[in-house]
């Protein structure tokens, strides 16, 4: 709804500016991007059009002042001053036949051509088509290639892959992502260039071809055409096209652990590009209940829309529906089924909805139909709906919550570790109902690991626990169990359990041996009416004597952790063969150490990895990790090394038992045959056994000088005790040098093998640029304080002309943030009240969700 004071409407990058005084009364104004036009388009040469077809409605509405419409185009125009455009306006000749349009060349219309947009001024609303006038014989268009995959609720369902081309423009790209919110994105986008001949006689390469190919051993087959075509003129005009491929599961194949592996080829003439699309099928599973809730969250205006349809349907009689059927040109069979229905109004509304004649954000067609049939009283319902919709969209998030709901925000925030933004959104969706709001927050929590980008692994689980009946919280990945008896909690609330990793070993408490992970129970500092039992698995063989444990309770103080020794009485901590049991009187963060290791053995693992190289003649860097035999530690290590640092796993891990001997150990590398590779520095490194006992991991690094060989190399890596000559582990590895080459970017970014680090780094850099442009000196200093940067550095940031750039560079330099580690930055922005900037970080995490499947490839 636009009033006499004017306004703006933006759809898919198209912007309509209505100045004040252009309208004499309030009107429902619509902007529609017609992607598949079933009508004859203007101009003698189809290949001169550079914009999608635009419909400005209501058609034929005359204006007191010109309106300006800005339309994006996909053509690469190096010198816009040497080019001009032809503007065509179109009006329907017959209201009952939407395909009959009369086109007029608007010679007097003012226009302005820019590098990526065209501005046109009009005094009457109409269809709009823009053609480029150029002496050049070839038009160049740049597109982004993006692929999506639908979620599935069970393994029997077909998998739908949607491959899209959109204009290489951030607004169009955001619009495309928004239109596919309910799907999962497969990797980052790739850019693709199309060279279109502007000569009508040149009929070569008139089709853009998208084809999908599965691997021979795939658990799926393509059930429809594997190759699909789009008219190249339509692609360049519409600025967006998409094709869908349906994959059907083969019989008697288990897909729960299957990796979907497909190759997408986009080809126009001799120009083609191949992209690998990969994802774990298991990661596509989503429960029916969760899918329903998530779709509701993606369509917050659905209730208003459904109420409007019911309201209009109740006021339509048989005569009204007959007139509307004629207006919309419905076939005689459809018209008869509507008029014979028990509720004719609801039947008509259902058919219009199914055919997308009406949609939540697209009611102009029905408004025109009702006014055209002289049903103005019913048409006013649409103007009221549009005004309510715009009012909802214009209100800030804080204002959408009523006073009653605002009082409930505190309740849900006290129950769990939710951000204020999440709680407000949940209460808005649940119409203020705390129980439904809590359920929505739980659903989002369950899918947190799938929806977010990879962070340093922190196993996290949360659950609503009743104070009266109690309950248990179990993390199967980490094997940790939290038991809360009836009457333990002071009130009903959401309890969480997590494993903390990646802490600096030098800042961990005590000097004893660590046999288990650091565990956090939340909400932290929550006092309990009855003790809760925490069971943590360990990697030790403890013998017959009960070891002396020291338990530390950690409290977060700014960016550091304050560790305090817990005072224990008999029975508060028990040592079992495979786990520790701790009785807690309040929730917190716990670290357990053993002071005397006499008679104790420690189960450990060894894992060899190698750095990628950029040239076959580069030197090699090989890393041998020795770490606790713990599933959490193993997965953390793999995530950090293979995803964050891009290394390749050379062999499966090897297990060995470490005794509390004080004699030194060593790790050795050897090349058994004559080779051009030589070991730099030393081929043997001493290992202090104290490090293995007091830490959960230890690294040994070997460097090999490459004398020019680009074939393969055989290595022996071993770890042994120096005094007793005990062999702890040994690896014999054959390395093909070509497999170590880092992937380059000329094949696109869809392959998960190529997703790290190139695609994520580009996305990460883009996020940093956006954050830096929004960060002033005061905000940068506040964020630096929250994240614990030193005072001298904050002083430099305070005086800097580019404080945002300097802050982010220092955070990366100090490894506080990285392409796969952004949670601390997001939390700092939220705590400082910079919610819009925090949303940039959240969007980055969600757009890079595909990296969660990387581990399987190394």
């Amino acid at each position: 709804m636009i009033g006499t004071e004017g306004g703006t409407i933006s759809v898919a990058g198209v912007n309509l500016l209505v100045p004040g005084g252009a309208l004499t009364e309030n009107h429902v104004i619509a902007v529609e991007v017609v992607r598949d036009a079933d009508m004859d388009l203007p101009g003698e040469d189809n290949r001169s059009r550079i914009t999608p077809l635009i419909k400005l409605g209501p058609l034929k509405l005359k204006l007191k002042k010109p309106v300006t419409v800005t339309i994006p185009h996909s053509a690469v125009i190096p010198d816009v001053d040497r080019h001009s455009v032809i503007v065509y306006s179109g009006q329907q000749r017959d209201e009952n036949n939407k395909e009959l349009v009369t086109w007029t060349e608007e010679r007097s219309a003012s226009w302005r051509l820019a590098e990526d947009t065209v501005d046109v001024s009009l005094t009457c609303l109409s269809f709009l088509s823009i053609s480029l006038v150029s002496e050049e014989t070839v038009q160049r268009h740049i597109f982004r290639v993006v692929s999506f995959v639908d979620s599935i609720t069970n393994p029997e369902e077909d998998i739908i892959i949607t491959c899209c081309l959109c204009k290489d423009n951030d607004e169009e790209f955001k619009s495309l992502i928004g239109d596919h919110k309910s799907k999962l994105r497969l990797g980052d986008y790739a850019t693709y260039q199309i060279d279109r001949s502007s000569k009508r006689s040149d009929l070569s390469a008139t089709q853009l071809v998208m084809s999908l190919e599965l691997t021979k051993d795939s658990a799926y087959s393509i059930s429809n055409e594997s190759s699909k075509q789009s008219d190249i003129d339509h692609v360049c005009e519409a600025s967006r096209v998409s094709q869908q491929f349906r994959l059907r599961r083969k019989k008697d194949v288990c897909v729960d652990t299957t990796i979907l592996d497909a190759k997408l080829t986009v080809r126009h003439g001799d120009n083609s590009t191949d992209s690998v699309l990969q994802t774990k099928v298991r990661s596509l599973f989503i429960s029916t209940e969760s899918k329903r809730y998530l779709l509701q969250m993606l369509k917050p205006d659905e209730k208003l829309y459904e109420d409007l349809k019911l309201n209009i349907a109740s006021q339509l009689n048989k005569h009204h529906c007959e007139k509307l059927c004629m207006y919309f040109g419905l076939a005689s069979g459809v018209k008869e089924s509507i008029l014979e229905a028990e509720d004719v109004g609801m039947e008509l509304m259902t058919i219009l909805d199914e055919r997308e004649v009406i949609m939540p954000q697209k009611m102009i067609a029905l408004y025109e139909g009702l006014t055209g049939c002289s049903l103005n009283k019913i048409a006013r319902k649409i103007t009221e709906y549009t005004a309510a919709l715009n009012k909802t969209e214009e209100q800030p998030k804080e204002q959408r919550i009523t006073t009653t709901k605002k009082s409930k925000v505190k309740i849900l925030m006290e129950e769990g570790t939710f951000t204020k933004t999440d709680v407000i959104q949940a209460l808005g969706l649940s119409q203020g109902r705390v129980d439904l709001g809590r359920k929505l927050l739980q659903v989002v929590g369950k899918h947190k690991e799938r929806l977010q980008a990879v962070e340093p692994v922190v196993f996290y689980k949360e659950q609503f626990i009743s104070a009266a009946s109690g309950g248990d919280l179990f993390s199967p990945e980490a094997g940790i169990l939290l038991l809360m008896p009836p009457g333990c909690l002071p009130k009903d609330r959401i309890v969480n359990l997590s494993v903390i990793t990646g802490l600096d070993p030098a800042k961990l408490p005590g000097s004893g041996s660590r046999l288990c992970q650091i565990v956090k129970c939340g909400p932290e500092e929550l006092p309990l009416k009855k003790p809760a039992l925490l069971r943590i698995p360990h990697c030790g063989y403890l013998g017959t004597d009960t070891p002396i444990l020291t338990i530390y309770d950690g409290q977060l103080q700014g960016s550091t952790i304050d560790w305090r020794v817990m005072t224990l009485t008999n029975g508060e901590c028990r040592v079992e063969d495979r786990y520790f049991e701790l009785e807690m009187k309040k929730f917190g963060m716990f670290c357990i150490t053993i002071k005397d290791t006499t008679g104790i053995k420690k189960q450990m693992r060894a894992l060899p990895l190698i750095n990628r190289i950029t040239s076959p003649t580069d030197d090699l860097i090989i890393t041998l990790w020795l770490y606790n035999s713990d599933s959490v530690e193993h997965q953390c290590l793999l995530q950090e090394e293979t995803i964050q640092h891009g290394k390749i796993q050379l062999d499966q891990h090897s297990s060995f038992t470490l005794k509390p001997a004080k004699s030194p150990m060593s790790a050795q590398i050897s090349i058994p045959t004559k080779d051009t590779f030589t070991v730099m520095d030393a081929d043997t490194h001493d290992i202090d056994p104290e490090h293995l006992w007091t830490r959960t991991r230890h690294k040994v690094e070997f460097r090999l000088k490459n004398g020019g060989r680009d074939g393969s190399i055989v290595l022996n890596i071993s770890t042994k005790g120096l005094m007793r000559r005990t062999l702890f582990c040994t690896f014999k590895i054959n390395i093909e040098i070509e497999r170590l080459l880092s992937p380059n970017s000329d094949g696109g970014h869809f392959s998960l093998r190529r997703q790290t680090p190139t695609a994520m780094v580009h996305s990460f850099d883009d996020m940093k640029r956006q954050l830096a442009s929004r960060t002033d000196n005061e905000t940068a200093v506040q964020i630096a304080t929250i994240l614990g940067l030193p005072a001298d550095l904050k002083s430099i940031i305070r005086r800097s002309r580019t404080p945002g750039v300097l802050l982010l560079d220092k955070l990366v330099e100090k490894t506080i943030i990285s392409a796969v580690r952004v949670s601390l930055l997001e939390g700092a922005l939220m705590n400082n009240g910079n919610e819009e900037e925090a949303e940039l970080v959240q969007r980055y995490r969600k757009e890079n969700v595909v990296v969660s499947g990387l581990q399987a490839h190394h």
Side-chain angles (χ1 to χ4, degrees), residues 526-577:
L526 175 68
L528 306 174
K529 290 186 175 182
K530 293 182 180 180
L533 182 67
L534 179 63
R535 181 178 293 172
I536 311 173
H538 61 72
C539 62
Y541 294 120
L542 304 181
T544 56
D545 296 331
T546 302
I548 301 174
L549 303 182
T550 305
I551 303 177
Y552 295 88
D553 180 13
Q555 300 299 326
L556 195 60
Q557 304 289 340
S559 60
T560 61
I561 300 175
D562 180 22
W563 294 101
R564 294 168 292 181
V565 177
M566 289 181 62
T567 303
L568 299 177
T569 59
N570 291 335
E572 286 185 329
C573 185
R574 290 181 293 276
V575 180
E576 303 292 343
D577 288 341

Side-chain angles (χ1 to χ4, degrees), residues 146-211:
V146 195
S147 287
F148 304 89
V149 60
D150 287 20
S151 299
I152 56 177
T153 55
N154 66 74
E156 303 295 327
E157 286 187 28
D158 292 350
I159 292 179
I160 307 296
I161 294 180
T162 305
C163 303
C164 306
L165 258 73
C166 75
K167 181 182 179 297
D168 186 24
N169 172 278
D170 287 341
E171 288 297 324
E172 181 70 19
F173 180 64
K174 289 177 183 177
S175 173
L176 176 69
I177 298 300
D179 291 345
H180 294 78
K181 273 185 178 179
S182 59
K183 305 177 188 293
L184 300 176
R185 201 166 125 210
L186 289 175
D188 204 353
Y189 67 83
T191 54
Y192 181 68
Q193 178 178 312
I194 293 178
D195 294 330
R196 178 175 66 156
S197 173
S198 59
K199 295 181 180 180
R200 190 177 182 86
S201 58
D202 187 357
L203 299 179
S204 61
T206 59
Q207 299 292 319
L208 177 79
V209 181
M210 288 188 187
S211 57

Side-chain angles (χ1 to χ4, degrees), residues 57-284:
L59 295 175
K60 300 182 181 179
L61 177 65
K62 295 188 179 297
L63 307 160
K64 294 291 185 181
K65 292 182 180 179
V67 298
T68 301
V69 58
T70 302
I71 312 171
H73 65 76
S74 60
V76 178
I77 305 176
D79 189 354
V80 295
D81 295 333
R82 295 178 52 247
H83 298 75
S84 61
V85 299
I86 301 176
V87 180
Y88 295 95
S89 65
Q91 299 290 352
Q92 288 179 348
R93 281 179 273 174
D94 186 350
E95 291 185 350
N96 294 325
N97 191 338
K98 308 295 184 183
E99 298 179 11
L100 296 178
V101 175
T102 300
W103 292 98
T104 304
E105 182 179 341
E106 298 289 346
R107 297 181 182 273
S108 60
S110 61
W111 54 266
R112 186 180 70 86
L113 178 64
E115 289 186 359
D116 55 0
T117 59
V118 180
D119 293 344
V120 179
S121 296
L122 300 169
T123 55
C124 182
L125 301 187
S126 63
F127 286 98
L128 198 59
S129 178
I130 311 293
S131 293
L132 180 69
V133 179
S134 174
E135 296 180 358
E136 297 178 5
T137 59
V138 175
Q139 289 178 12
R140 180 170 298 170
H141 300 258
I142 306 295
F143 291 90
R144 298 183 184 183
V145 185
V146 195
S147 287
F148 304 89
V149 60
D150 287 20
S151 299
I152 56 177
T153 55
N154 66 74
E156 303 295 327
E157 286 187 28
D158 292 350
I159 292 179
I160 307 296
I161 294 180
T162 305
C163 303
C164 306
L165 258 73
C166 75
K167 181 182 179 297
D168 186 24
N169 172 278
D170 287 341
E171 288 297 324
E172 181 70 19
F173 180 64
K174 289 177 183 177
S175 173
L176 176 69
I177 298 300
D179 291 345
H180 294 78
K181 273 185 178 179
S182 59
K183 305 177 188 293
L184 300 176
R185 201 166 125 210
L186 289 175
D188 204 353
Y189 67 83
T191 54
Y192 181 68
Q193 178 178 312
I194 293 178
D195 294 330
R196 178 175 66 156
S197 173
S198 59
K199 295 181 180 180
R200 190 177 182 86
S201 58
D202 187 357
L203 299 179
S204 61
T206 59
Q207 299 292 319
L208 177 79
V209 181
M210 288 188 187
S211 57
L212 194 72
E213 180 183 351
L214 301 176
T215 56
K216 293 181 180 180
D217 58 348
S218 175
Y220 288 84
S221 60
I222 302 176
S223 64
N224 51 10
E225 296 179 355
S226 61
S227 182
K228 301 192 177 184
Q229 298 182 348
S230 300
D231 182 77
I232 198 65
D233 296 329
H234 170 65
V235 173
C236 296
E237 297 156 14
S239 295
R240 186 198 293 185
V241 294
S242 62
Q243 297 288 3
Q244 282 193 340
F245 300 91
R246 180 180 292 272
L247 310 184
R248 184 152 295 164
R249 184 177 69 90
K250 295 177 181 178
K251 293 182 178 180
D252 303 324
V253 176
C254 176
V255 301
D256 187 53
T257 58
T258 298
I259 292 179
L260 179 63
D261 195 342
K263 182 175 74 172
L264 172 68
T265 301
V266 181
R267 184 176 68 256
H268 171 240
D270 297 330
N271 182 23
S272 66
T273 183
D274 294 334
S275 302
V276 177
L277 308 180
Q278 289 182 328
T279 184
K280 286 184 179 179
V281 176
R282 184 173 55 190
S283 67
L284 304 181

Side-chain angles (χ1 to χ4, degrees), residues 561-760:
I561 300 175
D562 180 22
W563 294 101
R564 294 168 292 181
V565 177
M566 289 181 62
T567 303
L568 299 177
T569 59
N570 291 335
E572 286 185 329
C573 185
R574 290 181 293 276
V575 180
E576 303 292 343
D577 288 341
R578 304 304 299 162
Y579 54 82
F580 300 127
E581 280 190 350
L582 174 65
E583 288 187 0
M584 302 176 294
K585 295 180 180 178
K586 66 176 181 179
F587 287 160
M589 187 185 307
F590 303 102
C591 175
I592 302 177
T593 65
I594 298 178
K595 188 173 183 180
D596 184 6
T597 59
T598 304
I600 298 176
K601 299 177 183 178
K602 187 178 183 181
Q603 191 68 17
M604 301 199 69
R605 297 181 186 180
L607 182 70
L609 301 106
I610 189 169
N611 288 26
R612 289 186 178 273
I613 57 177
T614 57
S615 168
T617 58
D618 285 353
D619 296 340
L620 303 183
I621 301 177
I622 296 171
T623 304
L624 177 66
W625 278 102
L626 307 174
Y627 57 98
N628 284 8
S629 182
D630 179 283
S631 60
V632 176
E633 191 69 35
H634 177 72
Q635 293 191 46
C636 288
L637 186 62
L638 276 179
Q639 295 276 11
E640 292 170 16
E641 290 289 82
T642 61
I643 293 178
Q644 185 174 352
H645 301 301
K647 296 182 181 180
I648 299 174
Q649 182 178 335
L650 289 175
D651 202 349
Q652 296 298 317
H653 71 267
S654 175
S655 298
F656 65 94
T657 301
L658 182 67
K659 297 180 181 180
K662 301 299 181 181
S663 57
M665 300 170 54
S666 70
Q668 184 177 13
I669 188 169
S670 63
I671 305 172
T673 58
K674 291 184 179 180
D675 208 290
T676 55
F677 282 94
T678 56
V679 180
M680 302 169 61
D681 301 328
D683 60 0
T684 302
H685 292 267
D686 292 337
I687 301 172
D688 185 350
E690 283 295 318
H691 285 177
L692 301 183
W693 278 102
T694 58
R695 301 179 183 182
T696 59
R697 63 173 74 167
H698 180 76
K699 180 173 74 170
V700 179
E701 194 170 87
F702 300 97
R703 294 176 177 267
L704 304 184
K705 182 70 176 177
N706 191 341
R709 183 175 181 130
D710 59 358
S712 61
I713 180 176
V714 177
L715 300 174
N716 287 333
I717 303 175
S718 61
T719 305
K720 61 181 68 176
L722 296 183
M723 299 297 292
R724 299 182 181 179
R725 302 185 181 277
T726 304
L727 182 64
F728 293 109
C729 62
T730 182
F731 299 94
K732 185 174 182 179
I733 303 168
N734 187 350
I735 303 174
E736 295 182 20
I737 305 302
E738 186 178 351
R739 292 180 178 271
L740 305 181
L741 291 174
S742 298
N744 52 39
S745 58
D746 58 1
H749 300 302
F750 281 112
S751 170
L752 290 184
R753 302 183 187 98
R754 302 182 180 188
Q755 182 71 20
T756 302
T758 308
M760 279 190 67

